[in-house]
């Protein structure tokens, strides 16, 4: 009975406050400043991408969602989603744009610091290299691999404090580089 009384009292208070809010004229409420249409569009695209990822039934569908998202970047030639093994190696859990034989050969990626997804996980940082010379300088072996390119983005996948793996996207062509472009991608 005490709990029921407490709930009834809280409900009455909530209803009274809601009625008071309805009586307050709308023009008296402070308005939020309008955001630029470009920001609104990017937020809508981000929400759409998040919804596609949330609805995915496999890691391959998540990789496809990243690859085909219309968030301002061109479609990458390869997208790889990896899971971190206890020994530091990474397993390809999902991929898009990667041939089946290449996926099979690279199903388990050794913890080699010559690979961008390994460095992204180890250092917990996003790697963005937008020209072939920068890719070649930092990761010389990458151009020989089936998931290499002139532009590479590798980022750790983190949940709380735990690193789960990485995502790598690569483009054969160079993408524009600069703070605005990086923020948009």
């Amino acid at each position: 009975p005490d709990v029921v009384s407490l709930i009834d009292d809280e409900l009455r208070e909530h209803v009274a406050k809601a009625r008071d809010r309805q009586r307050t004229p709308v023009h008296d409420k402070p308005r939020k400043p309008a955001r630029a249409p470009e920001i609104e569009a990017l937020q809508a695209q981000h929400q759409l991408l998040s919804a596609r990822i949330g609805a995915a039934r496999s890691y391959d569908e998540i990789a496809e969602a990243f690859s085909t998202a219309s968030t301002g970047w061109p479609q990458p030639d390869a997208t790889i989603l990896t899971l971190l093994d206890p020994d530091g190696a990474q397993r390809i859990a999902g991929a898009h744009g990667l041939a089946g034989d290449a996926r099979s050969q690279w199903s388990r990626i050794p913890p080699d610091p010559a690979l961008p997804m390994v460095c992204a996980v180890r250092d917990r940082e996003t790697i963005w290299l937008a020209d072939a010379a920068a890719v070649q300088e930092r990761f010389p072996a990458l151009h020989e691999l089936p998931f290499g390119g002139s532009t590479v983005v590798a980022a750790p996948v983190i949940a709380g404090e735990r690193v789960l793996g990485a995502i790598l996207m690569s483009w054969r062509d160079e993408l524009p580089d600069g703070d605005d472009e990086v923020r948009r991608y």
Side-chain angles (χ1 to χ4, degrees):
D2 292 337
V3 172
V4 172
S5 295
L6 181 65
I7 291 173
D8 286 346
D9 290 344
E10 286 183 16
L11 185 58
R12 280 189 206 95
E13 185 180 333
H14 176 71
V15 169
K17 286 180 182 177
R19 286 183 180 152
D20 286 343
R21 282 193 299 267
Q22 289 175 348
R23 289 184 199 129
T24 304
V26 175
H27 64 276
D28 290 347
K29 293 182 180 179
R31 293 183 179 195
K32 292 182 179 178
R35 290 191 286 186
E38 301 83 29
I39 301 295
E40 292 289 335
L42 286 173
Q43 182 179 8
Q45 291 170 349
H46 181 271
Q47 289 171 343
L48 178 60
L49 179 59
S50 295
R52 286 186 61 197
I53 291 169
R57 288 177 263 145
S58 71
Y59 291 113
D60 285 334
E61 286 183 16
I62 294 172
E64 180 183 7
F66 273 104
S67 291
T68 60
S70 58
T71 53
W73 63 59
Q75 185 170 340
D77 295 300
T79 300
I80 299 171
L81 186 62
T82 67
L83 294 177
L84 184 62
D85 283 341
D87 67 353
Q90 296 179 43
R91 287 179 291 115
I92 293 180
H96 187 265
L98 190 64
D101 60 334
R103 181 175 178 161
S104 177
Q105 291 170 354
W106 285 91
S107 62
R108 189 163 194 278
I109 299 166
D112 184 347
L115 300 172
M117 64 280 268
V118 172
C119 292
V121 165
R122 180 194 66 206
D123 301 337
R124 290 179 169 231
E125 73 167 323
T126 298
I127 296 169
W128 169 272
L129 300 171
D131 73 49
V135 172
Q136 180 66 26
E137 181 181 325
R138 184 150 180 206
F139 303 104
L142 191 61
H143 75 279
E144 298 171 14
L145 305 179
F147 46 83
S150 295
T151 299
V152 174
V153 175
V157 176
I158 301 173
E161 294 295 315
R162 188 169 165 227
V163 177
L164 304 176
I167 185 162
L168 175 121
M169 297 190 300
S170 68
W171 293 261
R172 271 190 282 281
D173 299 326
E174 293 182 3
L175 297 182
D177 191 13
D179 289 342
D180 291 337
E181 285 80 10
V182 171
R183 237 188 324 272
R184 185 177 54 170
Y185 297 125

